[in-house]
Amino acid sequence: MKNNRQVPFIITVISIIIGFMLALQFRSNQMIFATERQDLFQLRQNVQKEMERHQKLLNDISKYEKLLREYETSMNEGGGLSVIQEEYARIKRENGFSDVTGPGVIITIEDNPVAPGMNKLQSPVIDQDLTDLTSLLFANGAKAIAINGNRLIVSSSIRTVGEGIQVDTKPIEMPYIIKAIGEPQSLEAALRLPGSDRESMEAWFQFLNKKFIIQKSESVTVPAYQGTVRVKYMKPMEQKGAS
């Protein structure tokens, strides 16, 4: 009789153990499935980036093949110098060494006056705020940007020096006026809409108690870079056989 009483107890214990193992296995399978989905999503993103990079390389190859044909044709016709001058002008324009004009936006950042009786603090704008702002504009199609008349190029820096901010080596002060050439609607939307991991750029500067004014324009002029570019690690390659 005693053994008969133990049978249901043993069955119950075994059932609990089996149920626990099944639940553990189910949870493990769910975690593996979630990881596989995440890996698949990341893989798709990587493939998309590689496809975009591949397309850009194809476009560059096509562009330079066309340029080479133009050189060859011009040399045969005795007009090689004009093509070289045009290419030189294009390189200067695309790299920030000539004035450019086009549609875009003008952003003004200035202190927001505090009404009498209000106890609202003025938070300073730091170099990282302006870096984030210009990076956002470039990421959304801006072709040329200047801050208070100082053109940004690939080697430009925005940093705090002492109690002020410098663009490269030029001090800038409030109000900050940022001119950006690009598709006006896209640039404005990028500034006003929040991102997946942050609030909007407009909301951030308003949080700092700053006026953040966005003006769209069909004619924005961005001046040429006025600094000196120093080449540290490159030098002309000597051709073999040159005397």
Side-chain angles (χ1 to χ4, degrees):
M1 293 292 294
K2 185 176 181 181
N3 290 336
N4 292 337
R5 291 177 181 176
Q6 289 180 343
V7 170
F9 175 74
I10 293 172
I11 292 174
T12 302
V13 172
I14 293 174
S15 299
I16 292 173
I17 293 173
I18 292 174
F20 176 76
M21 292 176 65
L22 289 173
L24 187 63
Q25 181 66 27
F26 177 72
R27 184 177 179 185
S28 177
N29 289 339
Q30 279 190 320
M31 292 177 63
I32 293 172
F33 180 67
T35 302
E36 289 177 348
R37 286 188 62 185
Q38 187 175 12
D39 291 344
L40 182 60
F41 177 74
Q42 185 64 43
L43 182 61
R44 286 176 176 172
Q45 281 191 323
N46 292 340
V47 170
Q48 181 65 29
K49 288 179 181 178
E50 288 301 321
M51 289 177 66
E52 292 174 357
R53 184 183 174 199
H54 179 68
Q55 186 60 47
K56 184 178 182 300
L57 289 173
L58 289 177
N59 293 339
D60 288 342
I61 292 171
S62 177
K63 180 178 71 175
Y64 289 117
E65 284 179 344
K66 180 182 177 182
L67 186 62
L68 179 60
R69 288 193 298 270
E70 290 177 356
Y71 280 148
E72 292 172 345
T73 303
S74 298
M75 292 299 292
N76 293 333
E77 296 176 355
L81 182 60
S82 63
V83 175
I84 293 174
Q85 290 173 336
E86 289 174 6
E87 179 65 9
Y88 177 63
R90 183 189 67 81
I91 292 172
K92 285 183 63 178
R93 185 172 61 252
E94 291 186 357
N95 289 277
F97 295 97
S98 62
D99 297 352
V100 288
T101 300
V105 294
I106 301 173
I107 304 156
T108 303
I109 302 170
E110 57 188 1
D111 285 325
N112 200 7
V114 179
M118 292 186 65
N119 189 22
K120 194 168 185 179
L121 297 176
Q122 291 280 1
S123 298
V125 174
I126 62 174
D127 52 356
Q128 190 61 49
D129 296 327
L130 296 179
T131 298
D132 291 344
L133 171 59
T134 54
S135 296
L136 181 66
L137 291 170
F138 276 128
N140 284 273
K143 303 301 182 183
I145 298 177
I147 304 178
N148 285 19
N150 298 287
R151 179 74 172 269
L152 300 183
I153 62 173
V154 67
S155 61
S156 290
S157 63
I158 303 172
R159 56 186 175 178
T160 298
V161 178
E163 297 183 355
I165 296 177
Q166 289 187 1
V167 175
D168 295 320
T169 58
K170 308 285 183 64
I172 58 173
E173 297 179 351
M174 294 274 283
Y176 300 125
I177 299 175
I178 298 95
K179 295 183 177 181
I181 292 177
E183 209 286 314
Q185 284 74 23
S186 297
L187 297 179
E188 181 188 30
L191 297 169
R192 294 193 190 279
L193 297 177
S196 58
D197 58 346
R198 59 167 178 80
E199 59 190 336
S200 72
M201 193 61 64
E202 180 182 42
W204 172 249
F205 280 95
Q206 289 174 348
F207 172 77
L208 299 178
N209 197 26
K210 298 292 183 277
K211 285 185 178 180
F212 190 81
I213 304 167
I214 305 170
Q215 177 187 351
K216 292 185 292 184
S217 175
E218 290 302 316
S219 181
V220 177
T221 298
V222 175
Y225 178 74
Q226 298 298 325
T228 301
V229 178
R230 297 179 180 178
V231 179
K232 291 184 178 181
Y233 304 108
M234 292 190 299
K235 60 181 180 180
M237 185 176 67
E238 296 183 2
Q239 294 184 357
K240 293 182 179 180
S243 57

